[in-house]
Amino acid sequence: MRKILIAGTMSGSGKTTVSSIIMSAFANVAPFKIGPDYIDPGYHRLFTGNASYNLDSFMFDENTLKYIFEENSKGKDIAVIEGVMGLYDGINHTKDNFSTAHTARILDVPVILVVNAKGISTSIAAEVLGFSGFDKDVNIAGVILNNVSGEKLYLSLKEAVEAYTGIECLGYIPKDENIGVESRHLGLKQAFEVEDSAKRKEFLKDIGEKYLNLKRIYEIAESSEEYNIKNPAEELKNIFRGKRAAVARDKAFSFYYESNFDMMKYAGLELVEFSPVYDSKVPENVDFIYLGGGYPELYAKELAENTEMKKSITAAHKAGIPIYAECGGFIYLTDGLKNTDGKFYEFCGIFDIKTAMRKKLNMGRFGYININMENGIKIRGHEFHYSEIFENNEKQCFYNIKKENGREWECGYKKNNTLAGYPHIAFYSEPEFLKFLFEQVP
């Protein structure tokens, strides 16, 4: 199996653009994303036709990380991994800081560094040299230049980089506002919002064939030895065979770790998707309901007006069906949400809590988190939300949350069979968590 990692010198350097181009240009690609992001994997699926998996060295120990990578690369010609932030950026200034470079070392994967070439000349060689020398255990095997005005400038920059660093340039991305992806307050627009996706994939493929040395990139993505690591959730195999899980998946709820679904299916669950926006009720004969994150604020009117679905969710709660919700799903289970225009939308009302959107990211509740649950389970996740609780009549929290920097708070609410909170949780960071969610399955 061939593997390659696309990294950037910093956020905004163009790694998402380059990753999208390479994924579109190659066939039979296994796509991956470093870190907890949900938006980029949606684009990966759009451009490859395959599910994209998060590779997160904070969420997962090294064996689990290798297992998820290898298991989901099987049968593919090449694995293309998109990095996060700058190559060495993580939660602190050590080299084992859960950064893109940290993951590259764990997986022993060659790195292609994307460098923004806007407004730079010979200094670009110093920039690349600094990145290549910072950690000799990270194999920077090639460079792609972004924001280049034309071939003449590219050849000049290529000469400087290769002369001073010995690292080959593998092409460039021209200045073109049509290549990037439109963004919104919580990141890029979601993949399903892209109009004429097949046409866009062909456009990106053409960019790759015209401006990148795809043949050389494929050669650099050399094959490696297999890890042959068993499933870290082996004790869960088929323990829920015959059970059905309803998963909320539509334009309002789309933020899920693909590996969470894999663990559920490995445990024997049949996954049945439904839409809180469009459907009138939860699927029949289900034993569990999973409400992920997303953009409920953008579809608050539709969610609030779908009274039949809200009744169906609350009826399932009262009937004892276990429900698990995170972030956007949590908001949907509260009394409601006040949007930035001041209008309040009534939701399910399982939790006596009211939430409100902010215009800025809630930095006090942002990033990787360690979660200690009231029942003793310790698990990892992350928070990233613009909303906040502004009225709370639920007194007992189920999660004690700590960040690596020592910051601590409480969140998460458990009411009978329903557990919900802001944290997005990676099931593979502690497989026991999935068993806990099913303790009350009829």
Side-chain angles (χ1 to χ4, degrees):
M1 176 201 66
R2 294 179 180 272
K3 56 186 179 181
I4 199 77
L5 191 157
I6 312 302
T9 55
M10 60 185 294
S11 294
S13 61
K15 64 181 175 295
T16 295
T17 298
V18 171
S19 297
S20 298
I21 290 170
I22 291 176
M23 288 179 188
S24 298
F26 288 133
N28 198 25
V29 174
F32 296 91
K33 171 67 181 179
I34 292 178
D37 178 76
Y38 293 110
I39 302 292
D40 289 334
Y43 282 91
H44 297 174
R45 182 190 287 269
L46 189 72
F47 299 136
T48 68
N50 296 317
S52 179
Y53 286 78
N54 294 79
L55 298 173
D56 198 308
S57 56
F58 176 84
M59 304 283 198
F60 310 127
D61 62 36
E62 292 192 9
N63 278 347
T64 301
L65 192 76
K66 289 177 178 178
Y67 169 80
I68 291 173
F69 177 65
E70 183 170 78
E71 183 67 17
N72 296 290
S73 299
K74 290 178 178 177
K76 304 299 188 296
D77 292 340
I78 184 172
V80 179
I81 307 168
E82 179 182 348
V84 62
M85 298 189 294
L87 176 60
Y88 297 107
D89 297 331
I91 65 172
N92 55 42
H93 298 308
T94 67
K95 292 183 179 179
D96 289 344
N97 60 351
F98 315 116
S99 63
T100 297
H102 187 184
T103 303
R105 284 190 281 107
I106 292 171
L107 298 177
D108 188 25
V109 55
V111 173
I112 293 177
L113 186 67
V114 181
V115 184
N116 190 339
K118 182 179 179 180
I120 199 168
S121 182
T122 311
S123 297
I124 199 167
E127 185 174 3
V128 174
L129 193 64
F131 272 82
S132 65
F134 185 77
D135 186 346
K136 293 294 187 180
D137 292 326
V138 176
N139 175 20
I140 298 180
V143 173
I144 291 174
L145 306 183
N146 188 32
N147 269 325
V148 180
S149 58
E151 185 176 10
K152 184 177 180 180
L153 176 59
Y154 167 67
L155 292 175
S156 174
L157 296 173
K158 179 177 186 290
E159 179 184 359
V161 170
E162 294 182 348
Y164 287 105
T165 72
I167 300 173
E168 62 183 306
C169 286
L170 302 167
Y172 70 100
I173 307 301
K175 288 182 180 179
D176 187 339
E177 61 183 17
N178 295 316
I179 295 177
V181 179
E182 189 178 352
S183 64
R184 66 151 56 94
H185 71 279
L186 201 57
L188 301 174
K189 282 195 172 183
Q190 296 182 86
F192 62 77
E193 298 174 283
V194 175
E195 296 180 5
D196 201 348
S197 58
K199 184 177 180 181
R200 178 154 187 80
K201 178 178 178 177
E202 282 302 311
F203 170 72
L204 294 176
K205 181 180 179 181
D206 289 343
I207 294 289
E209 291 174 346
K210 185 174 181 180
Y211 296 103
L212 300 181
N213 188 344
L214 296 174
K215 181 176 182 291
R216 187 70 188 111
I217 291 171
Y218 190 79
E219 291 171 349
I220 289 171
E222 60 190 12
S223 300
S224 61
E225 294 183 6
E226 295 182 356
Y227 306 123
N228 292 320
I229 295 170
K230 68 179 182 180
N231 193 327
E234 191 172 31
E235 72 274 14
L236 300 184
K237 188 172 183 178
N238 292 326
I239 64 171
F240 301 128
R241 177 176 284 176
K243 303 293 184 179
R244 303 173 80 229
V247 178
R249 208 163 193 186
D250 58 18
K251 61 185 182 181
F253 303 101
S254 60
F255 293 171
Y256 295 94
Y257 292 125
E258 201 69 34
S259 59
N260 283 5
F261 291 150
D262 280 4
M263 182 186 286
M264 294 169 74
K265 288 183 280 191
Y266 184 77
L269 286 165
E270 176 191 353
L271 306 188
V272 184
E273 294 185 2
F274 73 103
S275 170
V277 175
Y278 297 112
D279 294 338
S280 60
K281 61 182 180 179
V282 175
E284 295 181 356
N285 301 317
V286 296
D287 307 287
F288 178 66
I289 299 172
Y290 184 8
L291 294 151
Y295 291 125
E297 70 275 17
L298 298 181
Y299 309 100
K301 184 175 184 291
E302 293 98 316
L303 291 168
E305 291 178 351
N306 192 348
T307 55
E308 292 304 308
M309 176 56 74
K310 292 190 294 183
K311 288 178 182 177
S312 180
I313 294 281
T314 54
H317 166 72
K318 291 176 181 177
I321 295 175
I323 301 172
Y324 170 63
E326 48 193 20
C327 205
F330 160 61
I331 292 172
Y332 182 56
L333 297 185
T334 67
D335 291 328
L337 172 70
K338 182 167 67 175
N339 255 333
T340 52
D341 61 3
K343 187 170 182 178
F344 184 80
Y345 296 91
E346 291 187 4
F347 289 159
C348 295
I350 292 174
F351 295 102
D352 193 2
I353 291 171
K354 293 179 181 178
T355 60
M357 292 301 298
R358 299 156 44 112
K359 292 184 178 180
K360 293 183 179 180
L361 179 65
N362 194 335
M363 292 301 296
R365 301 273 294 272
F366 166 75
Y368 285 131
I369 52 176
N370 297 284
I371 306 168
N372 295 323
M373 299 188 179
E374 194 178 80
N375 61 355
I377 290 177
K378 296 182 178 181
I379 201 164
R380 289 187 157 187
H382 85 283
E383 288 195 27
F384 189 117
H385 49 93
Y386 279 68
S387 67
E388 63 184 357
I389 294 170
F390 76 88
E391 186 176 309
N392 188 355
N393 294 307
E394 300 289 344
K395 305 304 181 185
Q396 185 70 29
C397 287
F398 197 75
Y399 302 155
N400 177 263
I401 295 173
K402 294 182 180 180
K403 287 177 67 69
E404 296 288 302
N405 63 9
R407 182 176 171 78
E408 186 174 349
W409 65 89
E410 291 189 337
C411 183
Y413 303 89
K414 189 175 188 304
K415 182 173 284 187
N416 299 324
N417 51 288
T418 299
L419 176 65
Y422 272 118
H424 297 274
I425 291 176
F427 293 178
Y428 264 102
S429 64
E430 178 45 74
E432 188 70 21
F433 179 64
L434 182 61
K435 285 180 65 178
F436 161 68
L437 292 178
F438 270 81
E439 282 180 351
Q440 298 181 83
V441 170

